[in-house]
Amino acid sequence: MSVTGTIVAIALNSLPYPSDLRDAATSAQAHEPAWTWQAAYTVDVIGVVGGIDTPAGRFLDNLEVAFDGDLDRGLGWRGARAHFSLLANGGGEPNALAGTLQGYDNIEVGAQGVRLYEAWLEQDLADGKASVLAGLYDVNSEFYVSGAADLLLSPPFGVGSELAATGPNGPAIFPSTSLTVRLRLGGTDGPYAQVAAVNARAGTIGDHGGVDTTFDHGLLYLGVPALSPARGAYLVTEGTLFEADAAPTVRAFLRLGVSDGDTTDFRGGWQAGLRVDSVFAGRPDSALSLGFQQGILSAKARANAADAGDDFAEAEGGVELTYSDTLGPFTVQPDVQWIYNPGGDRNRDAILAAGLRLILTLR
């Protein structure tokens, strides 16, 4: 990532899109409405059950409503698509109980309320061999994404902490997006490359200050009035380890991230794990996921902690085990996490967190 928030991702390999599937998809799309919608309401009851003096939990929720439009079918605008989504977040802040640096629930927000989450247009170029997207955009929808990790609740499995901690108020990820232009080269049937220029100051309608259109905070900074650039890179790889008829599918993932460590508490991190789909015969939506993660603290963060009389460890990390299954429109997901060096403090006991997630999906 450069000082203006530019992100580059290159897929070295992708599965081909079979022609018979493409034809079937095209035929189905011809009968679909120009506009579709879906909504998901997520409720978490989660907290710390071990490692603190008084175990406690919190209730929190997240409602997302999304609208997608095919502007070719709706308006005759060839190769154009539109996407809009709204977020409503409420409830408590479970990390106040744990005091971790990275959090342990990916729908926790610092400010509850209703927001315009995404609002963008995408236009195909060169007969679908490229596309450009512009508008309010969640970087994590296409960058730093690994499908084998998306069941896990701990935030580092969404975006590595070395990126999530950048910017004056965080990058353009949940729950606040920012103005972005993204260019993608390549289609759905082979290697691709994409690059995005992202306003470093996240903010959308519903946030204090609203959408930033000045781009005055293009440089990531720490302290006033000095400005400091921030640079980093990440690598994501995943693949299928086992797949057979009438048997569970096992996928693995590995993600590595590094930064200069000058403007955030993290100089890097890694996440790795497994996802098993169709765990039980007759339960195709059953899924089990095990993840390991570590946020590696920067030398400056550790020095600042020492100045304050704290003893920071090399890293804060954790292990998460979760299971999910769907019953009609409802998804039920128990979760347990073990987090060591919480808050970066090597003298704190490891904590044990547990929770239950319920999701109602409508479309």
Side-chain angles (χ1 to χ4, degrees):
M1 285 68 70
S2 77
V3 296
T4 57
T6 300
I7 303 171
V8 179
I10 298 176
L12 298 179
N13 191 16
S14 65
L15 295 176
Y17 198 82
S19 58
D20 56 339
L21 293 181
R22 183 187 295 111
D23 294 341
T26 301
S27 176
Q29 290 172 0
H31 297 88
E32 291 179 356
W35 286 91
T36 59
W37 72 277
Q38 63 178 355
Y41 179 58
T42 302
V43 171
D44 286 354
V45 178
I46 193 168
V48 180
V49 297
I52 61 175
D53 294 337
T54 306
R58 293 288 187 269
F59 168 92
L60 62 161
D61 63 354
N62 175 82
L63 172 64
E64 180 174 0
V65 181
F67 302 88
D68 289 279
D70 185 323
L71 302 186
D72 190 349
R73 286 201 298 270
L75 300 175
W77 184 349
R78 184 177 179 183
R81 292 168 293 280
H83 174 80
F84 303 92
S85 60
L86 301 173
L87 281 185
N89 299 95
E93 299 178 5
N95 198 40
L97 303 170
T100 72
L101 295 177
Q102 304 177 92
Y104 59 102
D105 190 304
N106 56 13
I107 66 167
E108 180 176 357
V109 298
Q112 291 78 17
V114 179
R115 296 173 173 86
L116 173 63
Y117 186 39
E118 290 191 291
W120 49 255
L121 294 174
E122 184 179 23
Q123 175 66 57
D124 286 341
L125 305 172
D127 294 327
K129 297 178 182 177
S131 67
V132 61
L133 177 152
L136 293 170
Y137 167 82
D138 179 357
V139 169
N140 193 218
S141 65
E142 294 185 318
F143 294 91
Y144 225 139
V145 180
S146 44
D150 63 5
L151 194 64
L152 297 161
L153 271 59
S154 184
F157 294 109
V159 173
S161 297
E162 78 288 341
L163 175 57
T166 60
N169 59 337
I173 59 175
F174 175 91
S176 297
T177 55
S178 65
L179 293 173
T180 300
V181 176
R182 186 271 287 149
L183 176 65
R184 178 185 175 106
L185 302 177
T188 59
D189 56 354
Y192 71 92
Q194 60 187 21
V195 59
V198 186
N199 190 346
R201 184 189 183 280
T204 185
I205 297 173
D207 288 325
H208 177 70
V211 179
D212 176 55
T213 59
T214 67
F215 291 82
D216 288 342
H217 297 282
L219 294 177
L220 299 175
Y221 70 95
L222 181 66
V224 178
L227 297 178
S228 179
R231 298 179 178 86
Y234 69 85
L235 172 68
V236 175
T237 183
E238 65 177 355
T240 300
L241 300 182
F242 179 82
E243 184 175 19
D245 292 338
T249 298
V250 182
R251 290 184 288 162
F253 67 90
L254 174 64
R255 296 140 48 98
L256 305 171
V258 295
S259 76
D260 52 30
D262 287 335
T263 59
T264 76
D265 286 340
F266 300 96
R267 63 180 176 86
W270 59 268
Q271 305 87 39
L274 298 171
R275 173 168 174 157
V276 182
D277 289 295
S278 301
V279 178
F280 299 109
R283 301 298 312 165
D285 294 325
S286 62
L288 181 73
S289 190
L290 174 66
F292 304 84
Q293 57 86 10
Q294 190 177 67
I296 303 171
L297 296 169
S298 68
K300 290 185 177 181
R302 298 177 65 208
N304 290 337
D307 290 342
D310 299 322
D311 185 13
F312 265 19
E314 292 282 345
E316 176 189 84
V319 181
E320 179 177 356
L321 178 65
T322 194
Y323 172 81
S324 174
D325 204 350
T326 299
L327 304 169
F330 294 96
T331 298
V332 181
Q333 182 178 349
D335 183 89
V336 63
Q337 301 179 43
W338 179 75
I339 303 169
Y340 59 90
N341 299 329
D345 190 344
R346 71 169 72 249
N347 297 314
R348 281 187 60 188
D349 293 336
I351 62 174
L352 182 66
L356 177 66
R357 169 166 290 184
L358 301 174
I359 305 174
L360 170 63
T361 303
L362 300 173
R363 55 173 55 89

